[in-house]
Amino acid sequence: MRLQGKISLITGAASGIGEAAARTFAREGAAAIIADRDEANAARVAGEIRAAGGQADYVIVNVGEAADIERMVQSTADKFGRIDILLNNAVYTAVGRVADIPLEEWQRTLDVSLTAYFYATKLVLPIMVRQGGGVILNTSSTAGFLADYKLAPYAVVKAGVLALTRNTAIEYARKGIRCNAICPGSTATPGFLRTLSRPKGFREIYEDKIPMGRLAKPEEIANLMLFLASDEASFVTGAYYLADGGFTAHSGNPYVPGQGPDWE
Ligand SMILES: NC(=O)c1ccc[n+]([C@@H]2O[C@H](COP(=O)([O-])OP(=O)(O)OC[C@H]3O[C@@H](n4cnc5c(N)ncnc54)[C@H](O)[C@@H]3O)[C@@H](O)[C@H]2O)c1
């Protein structure tokens, strides 16, 4: 067991990558505290982890609200006495061309997908300092480096998460706290599959752009998170790790006719 006895707090853990991380961390001996606004699925994930013999609990929060983040951190610390792993992972994004995004939508994206990461980190750091160490993981994205149409708010928060990760890492490295970011490529989560569901055949077009020819499974992202959360990553901090099936390795240029990949 790679996380035996650890207490992990995971936002957005009622679905997708966060859910896979909660299951993976629990399988490796950690208590998984599922923080999400979706009560039915938070209870489902916690129940399924417990049924499989793991330790899990859930807390219902809107991470866009500072008071909810305060309650999330406080209740976890009160109940479990410590927080060893914080995974900031919940997301919301406005969608639209830069000139068309309403200011409130821009602000909401920042609140849920960047300020929440900062605020949870700020509140957990003193607890980790007191207990002599901990791990903070932030879910970024390939979008932290690359532009996509109508996704400026998403790109901005994901780049911001990388900066927050580096700053947190260097400031707390001598306190035994490590902070790293994970940059998934396209992953088959309920959230992303909804995006790919229209028009018909869009998923196939998307997958064809990925050198591996498929989306990631959430568990494949969770496995990277597990490594970073575990003591095996004891010298890793301030870093980001891609898990994108080769997507960002490719320039994106079209190939010269006759010089395409083998499967053409
Ligand atoms: N799926 C992908 O292709 C992909 C790629 C790169 C990065 N990511 C990142 O991975 C993370 C997880 O994405 P996913 O695809 O698993 O998403 P998902 O939509 O499947 O799950 C997101 C979870 O976050 C919760 N959530 C959303 N807003 C919340 C709020 N305000 N307060 C509390 N909970 C809230 C939802 O209820 C849901 O349970 C996100 O940070 C996302 O940007 C995903």
Side-chain angles (χ1 to χ4, degrees):
M1 298 258 219
R2 292 153 77 185
L3 301 179
Q4 188 63 49
K6 305 280 188 199
I7 307 300
S8 65
L9 173 60
I10 304 161
T11 73
S15 173
I17 291 170
E19 173 178 345
R23 291 180 189 283
T24 303
F25 291 1
R27 188 195 69 216
E28 292 296 330
I33 292 84
I34 292 138
D36 206 290
R37 63 175 180 187
D38 177 348
E39 180 154 16
N41 279 311
R44 173 184 61 80
V45 176
E48 288 172 5
I49 289 174
R50 284 198 289 260
Q55 206 187 340
D57 203 347
Y58 66 90
V59 51
I60 301 309
V61 286
N62 173 1
V63 295
E65 299 289 335
D68 279 23
I69 296 185
E70 290 161 11
R71 181 169 50 76
M72 171 183 88
V73 172
Q74 195 60 52
S75 66
T76 305
D78 287 350
K79 199 160 180 179
F80 294 91
R82 52 191 297 123
I83 299 176
D84 299 294
I85 301 160
L86 168 67
L87 168 54
N88 289 305
N89 173 78
V91 74
Y92 170 79
T93 188
V95 177
R97 285 182 210 280
V98 171
D100 299 334
I101 296 162
L103 181 58
E104 312 75 62
E105 277 289 285
W106 173 268
Q107 196 58 57
R108 186 170 167 219
T109 307
L110 261 64
D111 287 348
V112 171
S113 309
L114 184 56
T115 304
Y117 288 40
F118 153 72
Y119 198 45
T121 298
K122 172 184 160 66
L123 296 181
V124 162
L125 279 169
I127 296 171
M128 290 183 169
V129 168
R130 241 186 342 265
Q131 71 198 17
V135 175
I136 298 171
L137 301 177
N138 294 320
T139 308
S140 178
S141 168
T142 52
F145 309 93
L146 303 169
D148 282 302
Y149 293 101
K150 298 193 176 179
L151 279 177
Y154 189 67
V156 166
V157 294
K158 292 307 186 185
V161 159
L162 296 176
L164 175 66
T165 300
R166 286 188 286 266
N167 279 271
T168 305
I170 63 166
E171 289 174 8
Y172 291 87
R174 295 191 189 195
K175 299 288 182 190
I177 298 165
R178 296 186 294 103
C179 182
N180 291 292
I182 299 92
C183 300
S186 299
T187 305
T189 64
F192 192 59
L193 290 176
R194 274 193 298 276
T195 305
L196 293 187
S197 63
R198 289 183 320 260
K200 195 168 177 304
F202 185 46
R203 175 172 176 165
E204 288 68 28
I205 294 170
Y206 224 94
E207 288 182 319
D208 196 47
K209 294 269 189 193
I210 301 166
M212 283 193 178
R214 64 174 178 87
L215 305 178
K217 297 182 205 126
E219 299 72 32
E220 293 178 297
I221 308 303
N223 285 337
L224 176 55
M225 292 169 162
L226 169 62
F227 164 69
L228 292 170
S230 77
D231 291 343
E232 291 159 35
S234 52
F235 200 59
V236 180
T237 198
Y240 60 83
Y241 281 77
L242 290 160
D244 69 352
F247 182 74
T248 52
H250 186 236
S251 69
N253 286 331
Y255 56 81
V256 176
Q259 292 181 25
D262 283 349
W263 56 89
E264 289 293 322

